[in-house]
Amino acid sequence: MLLLAMDTATPAVTVALHDGEAVIASSSQVDARRHGELLMPAVDRVLKEAGLKIDAVTGIVVGVGPGPYTGLRVGLVTAAAFSSALGVPVHGLCTLDGLAYASGLDEPFAVATDARRKEVYWARYEDSRTRVTDAAVDRPGEIAESLAGLPVVGAGARLYPEAFPDARDPEHQSAAALAALAAEKLVAGGEGFLDPLPMYLRRPDAQVPKNYKVVTPT
């Protein structure tokens, strides 16, 4: 097994290689505006660090979100391209699940990432491997009461400390955690993966104008 994992659903552009037993190389950079520029160099970097070529990869793992429209699709399109070129499967995982897994918590908690527009993407977990709600998008104040007393993992907790006073690490997504979670699932039979399709939860920020301005001569 050699899994190439990537996630661009959050400001972290993160890539990792996992050989079925451990992460053998990883790279993460936090930059909300340069997903397209940073992802492929990160893939090259982890392959070079591991001393491997891309044709050694046996599967692709990708975070499917939730996340903003532009950044999220960079990772998904890249994962699909590698899958097609290499003839290997692509396994989708909820981005929030990667953060939950990396937390290592064995108590009830939540994960919250920045959804912009003063909102967070979030979900509740029984432990680091067990999500108990679907991912959702809400204003922090709207969910603060329902999450009261719970630790909250992720950048969303740090952005809104008045709603989530018990913020926990990690703050940013890690493809290393995503790869390790995927490897566990594959060893256990390969169930629990999502289709590699974007989990947007809301319409993109960019909108087609309702009325086009006439610029041709009359």
Side-chain angles (χ1 to χ4, degrees):
M1 182 190 301
L2 183 66
L3 300 176
L4 172 62
M6 62 189 71
D7 197 318
T8 60
T10 72
V13 180
T14 180
V15 178
L17 285 171
H18 196 291
D19 66 2
E21 296 183 358
V23 173
I24 58 175
S26 64
S27 171
S28 292
Q29 294 173 269
V30 178
D31 191 325
R33 299 181 180 276
R34 299 177 62 215
H35 295 86
E37 298 174 47
L38 296 175
L39 182 56
M40 285 306 300
V43 171
D44 290 340
R45 192 157 51 247
V46 298
L47 287 168
K48 183 177 181 180
E49 180 182 337
L52 297 168
K53 295 186 180 297
I54 190 64
D55 59 6
V57 169
T58 61
I60 309 295
V61 180
V62 65
V64 303
Y69 180 78
T70 303
L72 175 56
R73 64 181 180 174
V74 170
L76 286 163
V77 168
T78 303
F82 276 130
S83 175
S84 178
L86 300 172
V88 299
V90 56
H91 309 290
L93 286 173
C94 176
T95 294
L96 303 180
D97 290 356
L99 282 155
Y101 184 84
S103 75
L105 293 172
D106 59 2
E107 60 186 287
F109 67 99
V111 173
T113 62
D114 183 17
R116 304 175 187 173
R117 303 185 193 176
K118 298 182 179 180
E119 294 178 329
V120 293
Y121 296 118
W122 69 281
R124 289 184 63 153
Y125 291 79
E126 184 64 29
D127 54 49
S128 61
R129 291 173 174 81
T130 311
R131 178 159 43 88
V132 294
T133 66
D134 290 334
V137 58
D138 289 290
R139 289 184 178 273
E142 296 172 345
I143 59 174
E145 185 175 350
S146 66
L147 299 183
L150 293 180
V152 182
V153 172
R158 299 187 183 280
L159 281 171
Y160 304 102
E162 68 285 354
F164 312 121
D166 189 3
R168 301 287 183 93
D169 290 332
E171 180 176 358
H172 295 293
Q173 172 69 314
S174 163
L178 208 66
L181 177 59
E184 278 193 12
K185 288 180 177 293
L186 287 168
V187 169
E191 295 190 1
F193 290 108
L194 304 174
D195 291 335
L197 300 173
M199 188 187 296
Y200 291 131
L201 300 188
R202 69 183 184 202
R203 294 182 180 275
D205 293 327
Q207 299 291 332
V208 176
K210 294 181 179 179
N211 298 306
Y212 290 94
K213 182 179 179 180
V214 177
V215 296
T216 55
T218 56

